[in-house]
Amino acid sequence: MDTRELNEKLAAMGLIVEKVEQWAATRPDKLFIYYGEEDASYTYAQFNRLANCVAHNLRGMGVSKGDRVSLFLRNPWVTVLSMYALWKLGAVFCPINFLYKGRLLSYQLSDTGPKLLITESGREPLLNQIKDELPFTRVVIHRPTPEEHDYNPDTAGLRLEPPFEEIAFADLLEGNPSNPGVELNFWDTANIVYTSGTTGPPKGVVQSFRWMQNYCYYGVRMLHPDDVAYCDLPMYHIGGAFSLVGRAAWRGCTVSLWDRFSASDFWRRVKVSGASVALLLDVMMPWLLKAEPRPDDRENTLRRVHMQPLPEYHHVFAQRFGLDFVNVGYGATEVGYVCAGIIDESVNGGGTPPEFAKGYSKEEVYQVAQELGMPIIPGHKEIPKGYMGNACMLHQVAILDEHDQELEPGQYGQICLRPRLPYVLLNEYFNKPEATVATNRNFWFHTGDGARYDDQGMFYFVDRMGGFIRVKGENISSFQVEDVINTHPKVRMSAAFPVPASEGLEDDIVVYIVVDEGHELCEEDLRPWLDREMPAYMRPRHLRFVESLPQTPTYKVEKYKLKEMFLAESNG
């Protein structure tokens, strides 16, 4: 497919703001958001009117095209509404991990330099603690009423301190309900989403509206207007905000929205919302499988699940819970959606019972996959570990060695790619030109992920190259962990690295610590400090205190030696 055809396909797809406004005009009564926590439903017309009101009020506060606005929220309904309002203005959606605090929170807000912040009740102490380090004063706050599920009487009386100026989010829901009419182009910036860096602080990935087309194109094509997308992922993740909510909006589907994952309530939620597609992370699936099997496990509407990463037990999971298809792939904050594949889990008599099925038929799924060039393989046969499908049409994908030479099938190297159209990849790392140039050396974008491919053009993920750690669905860098721990007044230096988690395919964090001369520090004393300074998912599972760290002649810590020591100790 040549670039002219690719341009035509993305032009026909349109921009995400245009599609929401289109559905509001042509399918006004179609349900868009079912917010399960409140049992509240919003049609496309209702949602569009509310988003327009928020947009016009933000415009009245001085927010305009190109302005950055940070969102520090757990509440996904408020986040989604604000996100679309910002896009309608051409402003930039800048989400923050709602678990951040202290140094982590201060860094991202200072680095982004937003026009204002949108947050929620209960976060005032976190902001007051760092108020002197922030480049803004205007804060929009969602304050739940006592009738709402996220109302907390213990935090309802908290307030921001000067110089902050507080604006009630509820006031933004009234006013002008018309579309703002801002001219948007595919090259305009839509988002800045932060991603972990291996040797430095997190980097803001600047994404265009075309990046979003790239990330969602395959997912949108696989959706039917009758599908219901289940989403319990946080809105600071591209998976939650874009892969689920975004692509459903593009297709005119319904989104079943929840604050967080719940293994005990998952299937009730699927039933009450009629969810047919979902995204499950590695840590979620073992919890669902641990539940006592029931004779009606297959009697649900869930037909297609994207599993990230693909576990060895995918077919067992699909057979038990009646899935027709499992989607696999490879994507990242910088590059969007790069590889894709489908696993047919119904080939040996399983699948979704006909009375619960919705969306495309099995034959139609095969047809769409053929049009996209996506491979479909049977789920009951052995699939090599790390299977990601083949390369998507918007990228040239290669496995390169350390000198950027292309490798042969079966050889291990780094996933690198080139876009086939402008603005498909990130525009840049925000305010970090050196990092942008380094990552794009020799005209290849270097993902930092290790993989291989076979002689059929199928790609297989192997590992993260560098200091990345994966915990509970979060990507963490060893630098972030060390950066926080090294601020402890009694710590001289530290070294963090991952080891295989005790459960699932993710990691546990190990940290070796050297205490400052003349001081004493033990795990019992350090743990409460870590609880105050770090989000729970970032806290080390294992701490070790040593007199020194092994280093090279150029003073680089030899973490592989520490890892060998730890594993030898753990294995007895």
Side-chain angles (χ1 to χ4, degrees):
M1 190 178 300
D2 61 28
T3 56
R4 179 185 57 81
E5 292 176 289
L6 292 177
N7 266 312
E8 289 174 352
K9 287 183 179 296
L10 295 190
M13 183 183 187
L15 302 186
I16 192 165
V17 172
E18 299 169 346
K19 299 306 290 188
V20 170
E21 294 175 354
Q22 176 185 328
W23 304 138
T26 61
R27 305 178 191 172
D29 297 327
K30 169 73 176 181
L31 179 62
F32 177 30
I33 300 287
Y34 170 70
Y35 186 29
E37 308 292 355
E38 298 287 347
D39 193 27
S41 299
Y42 302 89
T43 66
Y44 273 92
Q46 291 170 329
F47 177 87
N48 193 56
R49 285 195 295 270
L50 287 171
N52 287 339
C53 289
V54 175
H56 282 289
N57 281 301
L58 289 174
R59 175 186 275 171
M61 296 164 58
V63 177
S64 60
K65 187 173 182 178
D67 286 338
R68 300 176 299 279
V69 175
S70 292
L71 279 72
F72 184 39
L73 294 153
R74 178 186 288 274
N75 186 301
W77 162 244
V78 176
T79 305
V80 170
L81 196 57
S82 301
M83 177 174 68
Y84 277 88
L86 292 171
W87 287 339
K88 282 171 171 281
L89 293 176
V92 183
F93 169 62
C94 305
I96 301 172
N97 187 325
F98 53 66
L99 298 174
Y100 275 9
K101 59 177 73 173
R103 189 178 180 90
L104 297 168
L105 178 61
S106 173
Y107 166 77
Q108 186 165 329
L109 283 169
S110 299
D111 189 64
T112 304
K115 187 94 169 187
L116 56 82
L117 171 70
I118 302 176
T119 188
E120 60 200 349
S121 177
R123 303 193 180 274
E124 295 91 342
L126 299 176
L127 294 169
N128 291 335
Q129 180 186 4
I130 59 174
K131 63 181 181 179
D132 295 334
E133 304 166 27
L134 302 181
F136 61 90
T137 59
R138 305 188 90 181
V139 181
V140 176
I141 295 193
H142 160 60
R143 293 198 178 279
T145 64
E147 293 74 30
E148 294 179 283
H149 79 284
D150 50 350
Y151 176 79
N152 183 346
D154 296 333
T155 61
L158 297 174
R159 291 295 180 267
L160 292 171
E161 299 172 355
F164 287 126
E165 173 190 352
E166 179 179 324
I167 301 99
F169 183 80
D171 292 344
L172 275 57
L173 300 176
E174 304 289 338
N176 187 346
S178 63
N179 295 327
V182 176
E183 181 181 352
L184 298 175
N185 299 289
F186 69 78
W187 55 80
D188 289 327
T189 298
N191 319 296
I192 299 179
V193 179
Y194 279 73
T195 185
S196 299
T198 56
T199 58
K203 300 185 289 290
V205 178
V206 180
Q207 303 166 338
S208 67
F209 283 102
R210 173 160 280 182
W211 179 97
M212 294 184 65
Q213 290 178 313
N214 153 33
Y215 185 60
C216 295
Y217 184 82
Y218 278 60
V220 172
R221 286 293 310 276
M222 294 303 300
L223 283 178
H224 185 280
D226 292 340
D227 275 319
V228 176
Y230 175 90
C231 180
D232 56 19
L233 298 179
M235 291 298 110
Y236 60 79
H237 270 180
I238 60 173
F242 309 146
S243 180
L244 292 170
V245 177
R247 68 182 171 123
W250 241 307
R251 194 67 176 93
C253 298
T254 298
V255 179
S256 169
L257 197 60
W258 306 84
D259 286 5
R260 57 176 66 83
F261 172 75
S262 169
S264 61
D265 201 36
F266 181 82
W267 295 111
R268 184 197 69 82
R269 295 176 178 183
V270 169
K271 181 179 180 179
V272 74
S273 64
S276 55
V277 297
L279 193 163
L280 293 177
L281 303 177
D282 170 58
V283 70
M284 300 173 175
M285 290 175 277
W287 293 338
L288 294 173
L289 281 172
K290 281 181 178 179
E292 192 69 26
R294 295 165 49 100
D296 61 351
D297 274 344
R298 292 180 62 241
E299 296 177 7
N300 66 82
T301 55
L302 200 59
R303 293 190 64 204
R304 289 192 295 111
V305 170
H306 186 102
M307 295 186 176
Q308 190 67 34
L310 180 69
E312 293 181 2
Y313 53 79
H314 62 90
H315 190 60
V316 172
F317 187 97
Q319 290 283 291
R320 174 175 170 181
F321 296 115
L323 304 183
D324 280 341
F325 298 100
V326 165
N327 283 74
V328 297
Y330 172 78
T333 308
E334 292 93 340
V335 299
Y337 204 50
V338 176
C339 293
I342 300 176
I343 301 171
D344 187 345
E345 303 286 8
S346 66
V347 290
N348 61 341
T352 306
E355 62 270 26
F356 293 98
K358 64 174 65 175
Y360 285 126
S361 67
K362 181 175 178 179
E363 293 73 23
E364 289 171 323
V365 170
Y366 270 77
Q367 180 181 340
V368 174
Q370 184 178 18
E371 293 171 1
L372 293 172
M374 291 175 64
I376 299 183
I377 60 176
H380 67 292
K381 296 183 178 180
E382 183 177 355
I383 298 174
K385 184 177 180 180
Y387 176 68
M388 302 187 295
N390 62 6
C392 296
M393 62 186 179
L394 290 169
H395 307 89
Q396 177 188 350
V397 185
I399 305 297
L400 305 184
D401 66 14
E402 66 272 24
H403 303 296
D404 291 340
Q405 299 297 301
E406 293 196 40
L407 296 171
E408 298 296 323
Q411 293 182 302
Y412 170 82
Q414 184 172 183
I415 304 173
C416 297
L417 53 140
R418 290 169 172 159
R420 297 189 62 200
L421 291 176
Y423 294 94
V424 162
L425 305 185
L426 80 166
N427 292 2
E428 62 176 335
Y429 288 118
F430 186 63
N431 284 337
K432 293 180 173 57
E434 296 86 357
T436 305
V437 171
T439 311
N440 286 280
R441 68 182 180 273
N442 294 323
F443 301 101
W444 287 99
F445 182 87
H446 296 70
T447 65
D449 289 330
R452 59 182 178 84
Y453 71 102
D454 62 22
D455 54 11
Q456 302 299 310
M458 302 299 152
F459 288 83
Y460 303 87
F461 183 87
V462 177
D463 58 17
R464 301 299 304 266
M465 305 172 101
F468 283 104
I469 305 169
R470 181 82 170 174
V471 179
K472 296 182 178 178
E474 300 282 355
N475 286 327
I476 311 164
S477 72
S478 55
F479 173 89
Q480 286 178 289
V481 177
E482 295 160 0
D483 186 52
V484 174
I485 291 178
N486 289 346
T487 64
H488 190 285
K490 294 183 179 180
V491 172
R492 189 171 81 202
M493 62 188 305
S494 62
F497 56 89
V499 295
S502 54
E503 181 178 71
L505 300 176
E506 296 189 318
D507 302 314
D508 286 336
I509 302 173
V510 181
V511 178
Y512 276 68
I513 295 171
V514 178
V515 179
D516 253 341
E517 190 174 347
H519 294 279
E520 293 183 357
L521 185 64
C522 63
E523 182 169 348
E524 184 178 356
D525 294 333
L526 183 58
R527 285 290 180 188
W529 185 88
L530 294 175
D531 292 345
R532 291 193 303 271
E533 298 296 323
M534 283 182 162
Y537 70 86
M538 194 180 287
R539 295 170 199 156
R541 185 176 182 87
H542 306 282
L543 293 173
R544 297 292 184 270
F545 294 85
V546 292
E547 293 185 0
S548 63
L549 300 176
Q551 295 178 321
T552 68
T554 55
Y555 303 105
K556 182 178 180 180
V557 175
E558 296 175 305
K559 292 185 180 181
Y560 75 95
K561 291 184 177 179
L562 295 174
K563 191 170 186 176
E564 289 173 355
M565 289 168 49
F566 178 82
L567 293 176
E569 169 196 325
S570 301
N571 295 330

